[in-house]
Amino acid sequence: MTEFNINSLKNKLNTPTLHMALLSVVTNGIYPLMWLYKHQDTIMQETGQRFSSRTLVIWMAICAGCSVLLRVLFALQMGEYGYGYGEYRHRSHADAMQTLAMLLSLAWCVLAVVWAFKARAALRQYALNTFRFDLKMNPFYTLIFNIFYIMYCINDMPQAFAKHQIIYGTLLSVEPVVHDQQPPQLPQPPYHPQ
């Protein structure tokens, strides 16, 4: 029997949000794609919901890679590094390639947002069904910070659960219940015969 623990998803991923953000900056946005490819199945297995596929992550990587490639290649060929634009025809060709690179970047961002909202729904359902609490996840932050916000919410889930228990005054246990013990007896009110 699988024992559920509020820390299990956080422990399986073992990725602090700050590390993910810093590695993303250092690798020019490639690290979150590698992280998704490696850990997406862990999230889906823990939550019990298949909300995405590796194909989505591969398309995100293709869009990101082609965008970076087009920006670098046409910047080298068309003037940012001293080659000069030359004719108007070359300038319009470079502008078209830069526009294509921008559209590919936009596609990458849209796919990341789609993944984040699917992951958000799966995490909220997981918290509700497994631990009986509503995991509050801001849709605006999901839109803006997508993968990073999902990682933040996964890391913050134990604190959110503890806060829920304090506010609602319940100490919910998700440990298996042992039925061999007798339930505690409540004190009976004194009997007064009439």
Side-chain angles (χ1 to χ4, degrees):
M1 178 178 188
T2 304
E3 182 178 329
F4 291 105
N5 182 354
I6 193 71
N7 291 311
S8 63
L9 184 57
K10 176 183 175 181
N11 293 340
K12 285 179 183 177
L13 297 177
N14 194 23
T15 309
T17 310
L18 182 61
H19 291 171
M20 185 179 219
L22 292 175
L23 285 170
S24 177
V25 169
V26 169
T27 61
N28 197 22
I30 300 302
Y31 181 76
L33 295 172
M34 293 172 25
W35 183 89
L36 273 181
Y37 190 78
K38 182 178 178 185
H39 293 292
Q40 170 177 259
D41 289 337
T42 303
I43 296 170
M44 290 189 292
Q45 182 181 14
E46 184 71 22
T47 61
Q49 296 182 26
R50 270 217 63 84
F51 59 86
S52 184
S53 68
R54 288 186 181 241
T55 307
L56 180 68
V57 178
I58 290 170
W59 276 110
M60 288 166 62
I62 289 171
C63 290
C66 290
S67 172
V68 169
L69 185 66
L70 285 173
R71 286 181 185 197
V72 169
L73 286 179
F74 281 93
L76 286 172
Q77 291 179 1
M78 297 299 166
E80 287 188 23
Y81 298 100
Y83 287 99
Y85 272 109
E87 300 176 17
Y88 175 75
R89 181 181 57 138
H90 293 296
R91 186 178 310 139
S92 65
H93 190 267
D95 290 342
M97 289 300 122
Q98 290 297 329
T99 302
L100 181 59
M102 185 180 68
L103 290 174
L104 286 170
S105 291
L106 181 65
W108 172 28
C109 291
V110 167
L111 290 174
V113 168
V114 166
W115 183 90
F117 274 97
K118 287 181 175 184
R120 176 182 179 265
L123 284 173
R124 293 188 74 204
Q125 190 70 28
Y126 168 68
L128 191 61
N129 289 341
T130 307
F131 304 107
R132 304 287 186 245
F133 86 103
D134 183 22
L135 179 62
K136 306 254 188 258
M137 296 177 73
N138 190 320
F140 178 73
Y141 291 157
T142 306
L143 177 69
I144 300 300
F145 300 114
N146 48 63
I147 299 167
F148 303 104
Y149 185 63
I150 297 299
M151 192 68 243
Y152 169 78
C153 289
I154 289 170
N155 288 332
D156 191 54
M157 196 181 300
Q159 288 83 6
F161 184 57
K163 182 179 175 182
H164 171 82
Q165 289 178 330
I166 291 168
I167 290 172
Y168 293 101
T170 58
L171 294 175
L172 299 176
S173 174
V174 290
E175 301 293 327
V177 177
V178 179
H179 293 288
D180 295 342
Q181 299 174 355
Q182 298 254 342
Q185 297 293 325
L186 296 175
Q188 298 292 327
Y191 177 71
H192 298 290
Q194 294 181 356

